[in-house]
Amino acid sequence: MNQHNLQIEAQFRPEVLERVLRMTRHRGFRVDDMEMSTAADCQSLSIRVTVSSERPIQLLSRQLEKLMNVTRVETHLMEQPLKQSA
Amino acid sequence: MNGAQYIVQTLKQQGVTQIFGYPGGAIMPLYDALYDGGVEHLLCRHEQAAALGAVGYARASGQVGVCMATSGPGATNLITGLADAMLDSIPVVAITGQVPMAAIGTDAFQEVDVLGMSLSCTKHSYLVENVENLGDIIAEAFEVARSGRPGPVLIDVPKNVQVALVEPRATVPCTTAPNALDEAALAKARAMLAEARQPILYVGGGVGMANAEAELRAFAERSGIPAVTTLKGIGTLNPDHELFLGMLGMHGTKAANLAVQQSDLLMVVGARFDDRVTGKLDAFAVNAKVIHLDKDAAEFGKVRQAHVGIDAELQQVLPRLTGEHLAIDAWRDQCKALKAEHQWRYDHPGEAIYAPLMLKQLSEALDDTAMISCDVGQHQMWVAQHMRFTSPRNHLSSAGLGTMGFGLPAAIGAKLARPEHESVLVSGDGSFMMNVQELGTLKRAQLPVKMVLLDNQRLGMVRQWQELFFDGRFSETILTDNPDFVAMAAAFGIPGETITRKEQVQPAIARMLQADTAYLLHVRISEEENVWPLVPPGVANDQMMESKA
Ligand SMILES: Cc1ncc(C[n+]2csc(CCOP(=O)(O)OP(=O)(O)O)c2C)c(N)n1
């Protein structure tokens, strides 16, 4: 099980967080940790999620990149994984 | 003008001439605007059929299909059609009425969270909060639906937005710029092609969606690579070409599956290694390297690792690959021999109608422009195997979702898209009943859609699996209590007849095609016929079953 950090930039839409989380679950990734913040002008937001899965992270990042309101996705392998719940 | 009128105006600007839909409370302002709005609307008898009608229209025409429904149950009924469009990458725009903004989230009458429901079965979706944004959202929705890998888009419009006044303005034109070709990947692909000894061209539905049939056929001709297609790729390649081996996968031809299993290079174009294609994945074409061309980069490595993946418009990339005829004569001969050895056989004993032969005869009675829609099951596979298609626009089959009930609405949508061409439905007695209410739509629109109902009094495909893999325990698949289908069609003013014997087939097909109205040809076939060959679950594609062992 690999753990990755995803940094996601998106245009602000009320449903963007839902889209990202739905995609993450459906493509087989578990959310271990996450935070979200909205830019001062309320036009954009950024989401940081830590996910774990047996599947290669590109399977998720490429799908996330296709979401209309998502503008950028970066992935980082977690060298020291967060403590995972069982 | 109000928001509803603005919607109609913007749809017209998008070139929309035909809408499929069903009215209700939360979309009444839009139906009022349609009353004299100058766009044709077909009243379907179920919102699922409106969505599938739009899918059929889009598939037959290559244009975006448009459907609409009211909030709540209207919108939930659209969902199956949108999921169908999603899995087959069909450009559809759906417009749903919604309760007024102020009522959203109060559990108002006919309120469901349509945006939430749409997240998993559309490419994108919108809730329009402000009438000012309506025009731009619709223009963007059409661009999203048809660009890149096409797909369905939903626009949920609250009633207060439909009635709000607005000063219409020109919508911002919306186009997506193509990305630059990856030259290094292209060079690598060319080198792999030059080195390959046993290459196979594996063609999916993406080629037709990208209007790249001509470029693909030119590439196939130039390189001389033997080719196979998926269910959705049928019609893309010249069906009469000596190097075309047919459909691969679960019910593919033996020649196609054997050749793919032996190949050392798969050149995959607009296809996605669907599980019905690969069979047991880790036994699929194990010696083959993979070149994968697709407009959707998320397909590279999703199921099977590609040695080279090229994300590009297929029209642009195909002419850039391989100028020369590959030196693979021995392989070509091997593939031709496979094809010759595994021809279909139609010498079926007895008086009863043999569905594969009947479909071959039907195909021969039609010209190359005819559009065949089918439902899901054995008859769908027989259509794919035994009818001849020269364009993917003529083969309307629910491939990805496998939606029973797809056929009749799709055939209606196809007929409206191309009224000058014959639209023929091939259905099964199970599937036909899933959208049978659309006989009412045929009656209303007086559309001469020809319906061939292959009646085995069974949910045939499920019965086949029960016979082969569940010890013949025929749980809930026996339909001996079917209605009198010809009488049912007659109730909608549609003529028809029943046939039961081989020698009746050709005259009955002729009568059906001569009719200038809709027509139901009800064909009684054996309840025991199976679809062969078949790759059973969990084995490699070269282990095809050919009849009950
Ligand atoms: C909406 C829906 N429900 C269930 C199925 C599962 N299913 C696949 S084929 C089939 C039987 C189809 O029977 P029929 O339409 O009579 O066609 P036949 O196989 O007999 O040619 C069923 C139930 C499906 N594909 N779609």
Side-chain angles (χ1 to χ4, degrees):
Chain A
M1 191 90 101
N2 276 327
Q3 205 173 44
H4 284 86
N5 241 330
L6 287 168
Q7 187 65 42
I8 300 161
E9 309 296 326
Q11 293 157 341
F12 179 84
R13 293 292 310 150
E15 72 280 8
V16 156
L17 185 60
E18 225 174 317
R19 285 189 196 280
V20 167
L21 293 178
R22 190 207 73 80
M23 181 71 80
T24 305
R25 169 186 57 75
H26 176 221
R27 296 291 173 179
F29 292 78
R30 191 179 74 187
V31 176
D32 295 323
D33 190 47
M34 123 171 194
E35 71 199 24
M36 180 192 127
S37 58
T38 311
D41 63 0
C42 289
Q43 297 293 304
S44 62
L45 53 81
S46 50
I47 304 166
R48 188 196 55 73
V49 259
T50 308
V51 297
S52 48
S53 179
E54 303 285 351
R55 301 184 178 185
I57 191 69
Q58 290 76 14
L59 285 192
L60 178 58
S61 60
R62 284 187 178 145
Q63 296 291 347
L64 289 172
E65 281 162 5
K66 285 200 293 180
L67 292 176
M68 289 305 146
N69 302 125
V70 168
T71 49
R72 202 159 62 98
V73 180
E74 272 178 35
T75 62
H76 307 280
L77 180 67
M78 300 280 282
E79 302 293 351
Q80 286 175 318
L82 296 179
K83 194 159 170 279
Q84 292 174 17
S85 52
Chain B
M1 101 174 12
N2 69 18
Q5 291 159 331
Y6 192 23
I7 293 174
V8 174
Q9 186 193 64
T10 317
L11 290 176
K12 286 202 278 190
Q13 282 164 3
Q14 289 295 324
V16 174
T17 54
Q18 180 68 56
I19 297 169
F20 301 81
Y22 205 99
I27 200 167
M28 284 186 68
L30 183 49
Y31 272 83
D32 188 64
L34 279 173
Y35 188 67
D36 50 7
V39 182
E40 288 294 328
H41 174 279
L42 182 70
L43 178 72
C44 300
R45 294 310 184 90
H46 191 297
E47 290 87 353
Q48 182 186 112
L52 293 173
V55 168
Y57 182 92
R59 290 181 76 140
S61 67
Q63 308 295 311
V64 178
V66 181
C67 57
M68 52 181 61
T70 192
S71 67
T76 58
N77 278 347
L78 282 183
I79 291 290
T80 300
L82 296 178
D84 189 272
M86 186 70 179
L87 280 180
D88 279 347
S89 309
I90 309 299
V92 166
V93 168
I95 299 176
T96 46
Q98 181 55 282
V99 302
M101 278 303 287
I104 293 181
T106 67
D107 307 318
F109 177 63
Q110 295 194 327
E111 188 210 345
V112 288
D113 176 14
V114 175
L115 188 79
M117 276 194 327
S118 73
L119 297 181
S120 55
C121 62
T122 59
K123 189 173 167 190
H124 194 55
S125 46
Y126 304 84
L127 171 65
V128 184
E129 291 168 49
N130 187 332
V131 71
E132 302 291 334
N133 303 337
L134 203 45
D136 288 344
I137 286 179
I138 293 175
E140 187 179 275
F142 274 79
E143 180 59 17
V144 171
R146 71 184 150 225
S147 64
R149 177 177 184 164
V153 178
L154 180 133
I155 310 171
D156 199 28
V157 192
K159 199 168 182 178
N160 63 301
V161 173
Q162 295 173 49
V163 297
L165 293 181
V166 61
E167 200 57 60
R169 55 188 171 78
T171 53
V172 186
C174 187
T175 49
T176 325
N179 40 359
L181 270 179
D182 178 347
E183 294 293 336
L186 212 58
K188 190 168 171 201
R190 280 201 215 98
M192 284 167 69
L193 279 164
E195 273 167 29
R197 297 277 69 91
Q198 310 204 139
I200 286 281
L201 184 57
Y202 156 15
V203 175
V207 179
M209 302 306 303
N211 290 321
E213 292 103 305
E215 289 78 2
L216 182 83
R217 286 184 183 203
F219 171 79
E221 203 54 58
R222 216 163 52 233
S223 60
I225 303 181
V228 301
T229 70
T230 65
L231 180 62
K232 226 194 128 211
I234 284 176
T236 309
L237 286 154
N238 174 1
D240 307 321
H241 198 284
E242 57 178 6
L243 290 173
F244 177 58
L245 304 177
M247 179 169 80
L248 83 165
M250 182 177 278
H251 289 295
T253 67
K254 211 164 173 193
N257 279 332
L258 292 178
V260 167
Q261 287 301 84
Q262 292 166 34
S263 68
D264 66 355
L265 175 69
L266 285 177
M267 175 153 154
V268 189
V269 191
R272 58 185 176 90
F273 295 97
D274 180 72
D275 52 287
R276 290 284 145 128
V277 159
T278 62
K280 189 171 191 271
L281 185 62
D282 52 17
F284 178 68
V286 283
N287 299 319
K289 292 186 176 170
V290 173
I291 299 173
H292 200 162
L293 311 185
D294 205 286
K295 192 57 213 125
D296 181 358
E299 289 301 337
F300 304 148
K302 185 184 82 178
V303 174
R304 169 79 176 247
Q305 210 51 47
H307 297 75
V308 181
I310 305 181
D311 162 16
E313 298 295 341
L314 298 177
Q315 281 186 348
Q316 276 150 32
V317 67
L318 285 164
R320 301 276 321 272
L321 281 159
T322 302
E324 79 235 36
H325 201 61
L326 301 182
I328 49 167
D329 280 345
W331 174 237
R332 279 187 201 107
D333 291 343
Q334 214 174 314
C335 288
K336 285 182 212 166
L338 278 174
K339 186 173 174 170
E341 194 183 330
H342 302 288
Q343 297 284 337
W344 297 117
R345 291 187 57 174
Y346 297 99
D347 50 347
H348 184 264
E351 291 284 288
I353 294 172
Y354 181 50
L357 174 61
M358 151 131 204
L359 290 174
K360 180 172 182 282
Q361 290 169 319
L362 173 63
S363 197
E364 285 162 359
L366 292 162
D367 68 29
D368 276 357
T369 62
M371 303 168 283
I372 313 299
S373 302
C374 59
D375 270 294
V376 174
Q378 295 181 310
H379 66 278
Q380 176 189 31
M381 293 299 117
W382 287 324
V383 165
Q385 293 174 334
H386 304 288
M387 296 188 79
R388 185 178 163 280
F389 294 95
T390 56
S391 162
R393 297 244 168 99
N394 295 344
H395 179 235
L396 283 66
S397 187
S398 172
L401 194 64
T403 312
M404 285 173 73
F406 173 88
L408 182 52
I412 291 173
K415 188 67 193 171
L416 285 173
R418 287 161 46 192
E420 67 283 16
H421 296 154
E422 197 78 76
S423 176
V424 180
L425 165 70
V426 178
S427 189
D429 50 313
S431 297
F432 192 65
M433 293 291 280
M434 279 222 182
N435 269 318
V436 72
Q437 77 287 342
E438 297 310 305
L439 291 175
T441 309
L442 274 187
K443 177 181 184 195
R444 184 183 178 89
Q446 292 290 305
L447 290 171
V449 169
K450 306 301 161 65
M451 297 171 280
V452 176
L453 178 51
L454 296 177
D455 180 1
N456 51 13
Q457 302 204 339
R458 297 292 183 278
L459 294 173
M461 187 57 101
V462 181
R463 185 211 59 79
Q464 174 169 348
W465 278 59
Q466 288 172 336
E467 177 193 327
L468 299 175
F469 311 119
F470 290 87
D471 298 327
R473 290 156 58 87
F474 297 118
S475 179
E476 302 293 341
T477 50
I478 296 175
L479 303 181
T480 42
D481 52 355
N482 272 329
D484 178 339
F485 288 110
V486 172
M488 185 162 65
F492 290 91
I494 296 170
E497 64 180 302
T498 297
I499 56 173
T500 57
R501 293 191 322 280
K502 264 185 191 143
E503 83 265 10
Q504 295 173 299
V505 165
Q506 275 176 324
I509 289 175
R511 277 191 294 278
M512 173 179 79
L513 296 179
Q514 272 153 22
D516 51 13
T517 62
Y519 196 92
L520 178 72
L521 180 54
H522 173 234
V523 186
R524 285 295 308 269
I525 59 171
S526 157
E527 59 272 17
E528 279 166 9
E529 203 58 65
N530 285 333
V531 181
W532 304 117
L534 160 73
V535 180
V539 308
N541 277 356
D542 44 16
Q543 320 268 300
M544 301 190 87
M545 285 171 74
E546 281 181 278
S547 67
K548 196 159 51 162

